[in-house]
Amino acid sequence: MAKVVNIGVIGAGRIGKVHTNTLATLVPGVKVAAISDVVVDAAKALAAECGVEKVTPDYKDILNDKNIDAIVICSSTDTHATLIEEGANAGKHIFCEKPIALEIDRIDSALAAVAKNKVHLMVGFNRRYDPGNAKMRAAVDQGLVGTPEMCVISSRDPAPPPISYIKVSGGLFLDMMIHDFDLSRFLLNDEPEEVYAYGNCQVDPEIGKAGDVDTAMVTIRFKKGAICHINNSRRAVYGYDQRAEVFGSKGMVQTKNLHEDNTILATEPGYYEPPIQNFFMTRYIPAYQEEGKVFARCIVENQTPPSTGIDGRVSVLMGYAAIKSVKENRPVLLSEVDK
């Protein structure tokens, strides 16, 4: 990939730091040319850490910079759709963290702007690019497990985010489980038809007061017949619990948790393994690296990204079906929430 892709990062918070560090240090053929954040000191600190020359509090400076090929949107959820539209109108290719928006009509208007301006939009479903998950999908595609019949995904955070974040994030189904919704579609290479969800608060009653749940189990029926179970919790005291499995007519393929290292100590009391990795910033470094490489390659080679705006739209629909299912205590067809 001879061409250097110049990227402007919008948002210097936690996920902005992850993407900027990854793009600046682990992805060849990419240059982080600018960082924008309304908290300019945060942008300056990140720029100094990653060797980025341009810092601005106004993201429009990035959109107006003709030397920048693409933007990476890491700002708050309520800004995503607007930034996608403005970025597309400025002729920039776009990488956007999930979700695109919390309203389907805003997602649709953003996707329309992308299509009109013929730019690429890649949605940040990093788990697709995790080496283990990619191998699982390959095993399914190669028929090694036969016809997929069940999929099980466990995703549990070490601790809940601040209540202030929960209030604006869209909640567990649209902010946390959205990754698992996308992963289920990716692993099964199929589309969901119906969602049945249970959710309550067992971790922090303040989450319930904010209108959300912190513990949830969801069953999804897919078009080709497979059934998927997803479970989420905002609290896993032992670390960042990330496991997935596809079971089929000929066998099963699964991914397990990654530990801090692979040392095992065996003594008279028994076996000891190191703790599992503590959160996504370390657990998914290889996934973020591959994600960045794929985004750059799609720009240079004019390819459609593997995780598109449509994938972002479907995952939000699945989230709304789950929310409706919890409220009404019944299975919900995706067609009911796709208005």
Side-chain angles (χ1 to χ4, degrees):
M1 191 169 65
K3 173 181 168 59
V4 174
V5 178
N6 290 312
I7 288 178
V9 176
I10 301 175
R14 184 172 65 178
I15 194 62
K17 292 176 182 177
V18 170
H19 283 300
T20 303
N21 273 287
T22 302
L23 291 167
T25 62
L26 299 176
V27 180
V30 165
K31 178 183 178 181
V32 180
I35 301 173
S36 173
D37 198 294
V38 292
V39 182
V40 71
D41 286 343
K44 287 181 178 178
L46 183 57
E49 180 182 345
C50 298
V52 179
E53 297 174 1
K54 182 175 181 178
V55 173
T56 175
D58 188 351
Y59 69 88
K60 291 186 179 180
D61 292 336
I62 291 178
L63 299 185
N64 293 330
D65 188 335
K66 294 182 179 180
N67 294 316
I68 291 179
D69 304 298
I71 58 172
V72 172
I73 300 172
C74 303
S75 49
S76 59
T77 295
D78 60 348
T79 67
H80 289 182
T82 297
L83 290 172
I84 289 172
E85 291 170 348
E86 294 187 22
N89 290 334
K92 308 299 185 188
H93 299 292
I94 303 157
F95 178 96
C96 184
E97 266 301 323
K98 54 74 195 167
I100 295 173
L102 299 180
E103 304 84 17
I104 299 301
D105 61 340
R106 289 295 291 124
I107 294 175
D108 289 342
S109 64
L111 299 191
V114 168
K116 177 183 177 182
N117 291 281
K118 298 181 180 180
V119 296
H120 293 305
L121 168 63
M122 182 168 167
V123 179
F125 288 126
N126 62 296
R127 295 181 192 178
R128 289 178 174 233
Y129 306 95
D130 174 73
N133 290 334
K135 288 182 178 180
M136 287 182 67
R137 169 62 185 267
V140 172
D141 287 347
Q142 294 165 19
L144 299 180
V145 300
T147 301
E149 297 171 349
M150 291 192 294
C151 178
V152 180
I153 300 173
S154 295
S155 181
R156 303 160 186 168
D157 285 355
I163 299 298
S164 58
Y165 175 82
I166 287 175
K167 289 179 179 179
V168 299
S169 69
L172 183 145
F173 292 114
L174 292 172
D175 174 63
M176 180 179 176
M177 195 179 286
I178 192 170
H179 277 295
D180 306 303
F181 289 144
D182 182 72
L183 184 60
S184 68
R185 294 177 61 240
F186 172 71
L187 293 176
L188 293 171
N189 192 20
D190 196 5
E191 293 300 327
E193 282 190 328
E194 186 178 75
V195 173
Y196 202 169
Y198 292 94
N200 58 19
C201 284
Q202 301 186 78
V203 176
D204 184 352
E206 293 300 314
I207 293 176
K209 292 178 182 178
D212 195 17
V213 300
D214 55 38
T215 307
M217 287 189 171
V218 174
T219 302
I220 306 163
R221 178 168 55 84
F222 279 79
K223 289 184 177 180
K224 296 177 185 177
I227 301 169
C228 179
H229 164 80
I230 299 173
N231 65 80
N232 275 189
S233 174
R234 291 287 194 184
R235 178 197 60 208
V237 296
Y238 48 87
Y240 188 42
D241 193 354
Q242 297 286 290
R243 291 169 285 135
E245 172 188 300
V246 176
F247 174 86
S249 57
K250 292 183 179 179
M252 177 269 290
V253 60
Q254 67 178 196
T255 56
K256 297 181 179 180
N257 283 314
L258 298 183
H259 293 257
E260 291 181 357
D261 60 63
N262 61 359
T263 304
I264 297 177
L265 173 65
T267 60
E268 185 176 353
Y271 279 77
Y272 169 79
E273 288 185 289
I276 61 176
Q277 293 186 357
N278 191 52
F279 212 19
F280 70 90
M281 288 86 77
T282 52
R283 167 64 178 83
Y284 285 116
I285 286 176
Y288 286 116
Q289 181 180 8
E290 180 64 18
E291 189 176 53
K293 289 179 179 178
V294 169
F295 181 52
R297 185 167 62 246
C298 288
I299 293 171
V300 172
E301 299 178 2
N302 193 27
Q303 297 178 350
T304 301
S307 46
T308 67
I310 296 300
D311 296 308
R313 187 182 193 276
V314 174
S315 64
V316 171
L317 287 175
M318 295 173 77
Y320 274 116
I323 292 169
K324 187 176 181 67
S325 177
V326 170
K327 289 180 178 179
E328 300 181 7
N329 192 28
R330 67 176 180 87
V332 174
L333 294 168
L334 258 69
S335 59
E336 296 182 54
V337 293
D338 190 7
K339 305 299 184 183

